Amino acid sequence: MNSTETGDIAVTKKNQAVEQLDMSALEKYLGDALPQFRGPIKAEKFTGGQSNPTFKLETGAGTFVLRRQPPGKLLKSAHAVDREFRVMRALQDSAVPVPKVLHLCEDPQVIGSMFYLMEYCEGRIFWDAALPELDNTQRKAFYEEMNRVLAALHSIDIDAAGLSDYGRPGNYFERQFQRWEGQYRASELNTIPAMDQLIAWLGGNLPADDGRVALVHGDYRLDNIVFHPTESRAIAVLDWELSTLGHPFADLAYQCMQLRMPANSGNISGLMGVDRASLGIPSEREYVARYCERMGIPGIDNWAFYLAFSFFRLAAIIQGVAKRAQDGNASSSSAAKLGAFVDPLAKLALDVIEKES
């Protein structure tokens, strides 16, 4: 992360609890919890993302990142910063690059919600999937690196990492469908026929459990990765809130789903209509084939379901963000506008079903 991805804390009466930190309480707490900590703290909130408010802290002991739950009433199992802390700690020194986590505070009384502290990774975050800052050779290398890291994640020995209880057993897609349908219904602001149609199709086309289980990120995409300042090397995968034990194809389809989207779809940049070959970016078929090669598998069945489910899940997440905005608990002033993307996402999924099934 670098200064171009940060913004000063802007406090308004409506979102003050989300945007502002109680500096005196935080300094006292960290001084007691971390022997190496020294104040004072200068904080600024990262502008990217819509979920857990995240702050860059400049202190007398160095620069850190604080990530907290949003205050207020939350949906069940949402904003699990404690799970983020646990999985990143488990992945330290693995083939999956993650920031070093330093401390988890589970007491919501300290600053108003649970939070954790991690190292600040100096590097580059790219927000445009077309990577206009790079040349063709570099673009190819960056997509190859994303593919490598994703395969490394899905190859983690869950038992050796101490994560054998990090998710529930059983059909992952069945569980996830039930979870996100419930989350969507709990945050539904108005009836969206395309979502109802998509939910009905997914519920009737759940694939049989094939026994594949891996650690999955849940939101694996370009702008959740910090790259080395000068190399095409990932140095930190961020935003593990949705991670769990699940089906590895969910992560792969989710990333490919994003690349099928328009260039500006809320806070996600896609490659719809882009001539990838002219930019040195692999096609979806090439990207999936490279992943399969790394994982030692011949190919992927039920691809239409995995893609459609990814659109549905993202739409449900965005609906939750829109609901929090209505309730005054969103992490970004633009959160309310995201609700407009739910219907188009559902329609994109229905298009995938029609063309890929």
Side-chain angles (χ1 to χ4, degrees):
M1 291 171 280
N2 57 44
S3 59
T4 61
E5 279 83 51
T6 64
D8 292 335
I9 299 174
V11 180
T12 66
K13 289 183 179 180
K14 183 176 181 180
N15 67 358
Q16 184 174 11
V18 177
E19 300 291 333
Q20 192 175 39
L21 296 173
D22 184 335
M23 293 302 181
S24 59
L26 184 61
E27 287 183 11
K28 182 180 185 304
Y29 176 85
L30 292 178
D32 293 338
L34 297 171
Q36 74 270 32
F37 177 80
R38 299 193 310 277
I41 298 173
K42 178 184 176 183
E44 56 183 358
K45 184 175 179 292
F46 289 97
T47 55
Q50 302 293 337
S51 186
N52 294 321
T54 307
F55 300 83
K56 179 182 178 181
L57 305 184
E58 295 181 359
T59 78
T63 304
F64 305 96
V65 173
L66 181 148
R67 189 159 162 88
R68 66 179 294 188
Q69 286 183 320
K73 185 178 180 181
L74 304 176
L75 293 174
K76 182 181 178 181
S77 75
H79 310 283
V81 296
D82 52 335
R83 286 177 63 84
E84 286 191 325
F85 182 89
R86 178 187 175 187
V87 72
M88 286 192 288
R89 183 172 58 183
L91 291 173
Q92 304 289 305
D93 303 319
S94 74
V96 181
V98 291
K100 181 179 180 181
V101 291
L102 303 171
H103 182 74
L104 171 67
C105 175
E106 298 181 274
D107 183 358
Q109 300 303 313
V110 177
I111 62 169
S113 61
M114 181 165 52
F115 70 91
Y116 68 89
L117 201 69
M118 60 181 168
E119 70 172 338
Y120 175 78
C121 297
E122 187 69 49
R124 295 176 290 173
I125 294 179
F126 297 93
W127 299 94
D128 188 333
L131 297 174
E133 307 92 335
L134 307 176
D135 62 31
N136 282 22
T137 300
Q138 292 171 322
R139 291 187 192 105
K140 180 178 180 180
F142 274 77
Y143 273 89
E144 178 73 4
E145 175 69 351
M146 281 192 287
N147 193 289
R148 181 197 68 78
V149 172
L150 186 61
L153 171 62
H154 296 160
S155 301
I156 290 290
D157 185 325
I158 296 167
D159 293 331
L163 295 172
S164 57
D165 63 342
Y166 196 61
R168 290 187 295 161
N171 189 314
Y172 172 76
F173 284 103
E174 182 178 359
R175 295 198 323 268
Q176 285 285 295
F177 173 71
Q178 292 172 353
R179 174 190 176 184
W180 289 108
E181 181 186 12
Q183 298 277 42
Y184 174 73
R185 296 304 184 192
S187 57
E188 192 175 16
L189 298 175
N190 56 278
T191 300
I192 300 176
M195 277 294 283
D196 291 340
Q197 184 180 347
L198 176 58
I199 288 170
W201 186 89
L202 291 170
N205 289 273
L206 288 165
D209 186 7
D210 62 5
R212 296 182 191 274
V213 179
L215 176 61
V216 295
H217 181 275
D219 195 13
Y220 190 78
R221 64 193 198 198
L222 178 66
D223 57 280
N224 275 334
I225 302 174
V226 183
F227 289 92
H228 187 276
T230 60
E231 302 172 13
S232 57
R233 175 167 58 86
I235 61 172
V237 178
L238 308 175
D239 199 356
W240 292 84
E241 175 194 344
L242 298 173
S243 62
T244 188
L245 299 186
H247 202 294
F249 297 166
D251 270 346
L252 180 64
Y254 183 77
Q255 187 181 17
C256 290
M257 174 271 297
Q258 296 162 54
L259 299 179
R260 285 172 170 252
M261 293 167 63
N264 185 16
S265 302
N267 64 333
I268 293 177
S269 170
L271 293 174
M272 178 186 286
V274 173
D275 183 353
R276 294 191 189 187
S278 69
L279 297 178
I281 296 174
S283 68
E284 180 180 293
R285 185 182 298 274
E286 290 169 337
Y287 193 83
V288 171
R290 189 76 175 104
Y291 171 87
C292 290
E293 180 183 340
R294 284 193 159 98
M295 297 298 294
I297 57 177
I300 297 177
D301 297 325
N302 299 311
W303 188 238
F305 176 90
Y306 301 140
L307 284 172
F309 176 81
S310 296
F311 279 106
F312 158 70
R313 179 172 166 273
L314 178 60
I317 292 170
I318 288 176
Q319 186 62 58
V321 173
K323 179 64 163 59
R324 289 201 309 278
Q326 185 184 73
D327 296 342
N329 293 324
S331 176
S332 169
S333 59
S334 65
K337 301 177 183 177
L338 283 177
F341 289 96
V342 175
D343 180 62
L345 284 170
K347 289 176 178 175
L348 284 170
L350 295 174
D351 187 59
V352 166
I353 293 167
E354 181 180 350
K355 293 179 179 178
E356 301 284 343
S357 296

